[in-house]
Amino acid sequence: DAKTTQPTSMDCAEGRAANLPCNHSTISGNEYVYWYRQIHSQGPQYIIHGLKNNETNEMASLIITEDRKSSTLILPHATLRDTAVYYCIVRVANSGYSTLTFGKGTMLLVSP
Amino acid sequence: DAMVIQNPRYQVTQFGKPVTLSCSQTLNHNVMYWYQQKSSQAPKLLFHYYDKDFNNEADTPDNFQSRRPNTSFCFLDIRSPGLGDAAMYLCATSSLMGKRQGAYEKLFFGSGTQLSVL
């Protein structure tokens, strides 16, 4: 699986958009980009995933560059409850049941 | 509605005293995982079950064992806990979503059991 690189930490003001970058320059054509987050003292939670098109759901938007070497997770209106560690993970698509390997992630702190 | 339930939320054990952590799921998923997460670190996969097939990660110590008596339940046994085994233990299940051509896997995690070793 391709390796990902994320900033260690980021800050965001409440109500503003939080843009979390992820670099995955060695991604191959059949690998998905997954995003999970982990709020303190809870288990990780699935947010969104994508292959090559931009994706949006009720939680966030995922923007993947045309060359697929990087992506950005966007929380359009961050709230205090979005303070968490955000993990960007790359995993082969259509691989059936597999195992996700978590990197160090980005600690997002949303402040009033 | 809790879907992956871990009990207890906090567990204290003594050095060397066997301990069992439990996980149950109401999702009827085939796959169940156990992750270990030490303070300020990312979750690390210990092993997983695909139905009754057990899959151990290469670097998981022999001290860690698991049982899955049925689809709904999975147990993590630590035979002789050391101080270094103090951690959050996370159980997860997964399901394949979408069509086979574009299938992706989505993990559902429990809230974890925080294990302390005295």
Side-chain angles (χ1 to χ4, degrees), chain A:
Chain A
D1 297 326
K3 182 180 176 180
T4 62
T5 304
Q6 299 177 252
T8 302
S9 63
M10 294 184 66
D11 295 325
C12 180
E14 189 178 20
R16 304 298 292 267
N19 299 290
L20 293 96
C22 180
N23 184 289
H24 32 79
S25 58
T26 61
I27 194 170
S28 52
N30 64 343
E31 289 182 308
Y32 281 120
V33 179
Y34 289 88
W35 283 84
Y36 280 75
R37 75 177 182 184
Q38 186 174 23
I39 295 170
H40 183 62
S41 296
Q42 296 184 21
Q45 175 191 25
Y46 168 88
I47 302 173
I48 200 167
H49 80 284
L51 187 60
K52 48 186 175 182
N53 298 323
N54 297 337
E55 302 287 345
T56 295
N57 63 19
E58 65 280 2
M59 291 183 70
S61 294
L62 175 60
I63 308 297
I64 302 175
T65 57
E66 194 168 339
D67 64 7
R68 302 188 69 242
K69 293 183 184 299
S70 65
S71 60
T72 301
L73 179 75
I74 300 172
L75 308 178
H77 305 286
T79 70
L80 299 180
R81 287 177 293 181
D82 292 322
T83 292
V85 178
Y86 287 77
Y87 297 101
C88 170
I89 304 165
V90 172
R91 194 74 177 101
V92 175
N94 305 324
S95 60
Y97 292 104
S98 58
T99 55
L100 291 181
T101 300
F102 289 83
K104 296 182 179 179
T106 296
M107 176 65 216
L108 175 69
L109 177 62
V110 181
S111 303

Side-chain angles (χ1 to χ4, degrees), chain B residues 8-29:
Chain B
R9 186 74 175 90
Y10 299 94
Q11 175 75 55
V12 180
T13 190
Q14 292 178 338
F15 183 93
K17 184 175 181 181
V19 65
T20 295
L21 309 181
S22 71
C23 176
S24 64
Q25 56 141 332
T26 59
L27 299 164
N28 203 36
H29 286 166

Side-chain angles (χ1 to χ4, degrees), chain B:
Chain B
D1 294 339
M3 296 181 289
V4 181
I5 303 160
Q6 292 189 245
N7 285 307
R9 186 74 175 90
Y10 299 94
Q11 175 75 55
V12 180
T13 190
Q14 292 178 338
F15 183 93
K17 184 175 181 181
V19 65
T20 295
L21 309 181
S22 71
C23 176
S24 64
Q25 56 141 332
T26 59
L27 299 164
N28 203 36
H29 286 166
N30 296 87
V31 191
M32 295 187 77
Y33 303 85
W34 280 104
Y35 283 83
Q36 178 194 62
Q37 186 174 27
K38 296 186 177 181
S39 181
S40 301
Q41 296 183 19
K44 179 179 181 297
L45 182 66
L46 294 173
F47 27 58
H48 74 279
Y49 276 93
Y50 182 97
D51 289 329
K52 287 190 177 295
D53 292 334
F54 178 70
N55 299 273
N56 201 28
E57 292 300 298
D59 56 354
T60 298
D62 293 339
N63 198 26
F64 292 85
Q65 304 286 321
S66 186
R67 295 171 283 135
R68 189 179 185 187
N70 53 53
T71 300
S72 300
F73 287 88
C74 196
F75 300 97
L76 170 62
D77 300 310
I78 308 176
R79 292 191 296 186
S80 181
L83 298 179
D85 296 327
M88 172 76 83
Y89 290 88
L90 294 160
C91 174
T93 70
S94 77
S95 173
L96 272 182
M97 316 290 287
K99 301 177 184 178
R100 178 58 64 179
Q101 191 71 21
Y104 68 96
E105 186 181 17
K106 181 177 176 179
L107 266 64
F108 298 80
F109 283 83
S111 296
T113 293
Q114 182 66 50
L115 177 69
S116 299
V117 181
L118 303 180

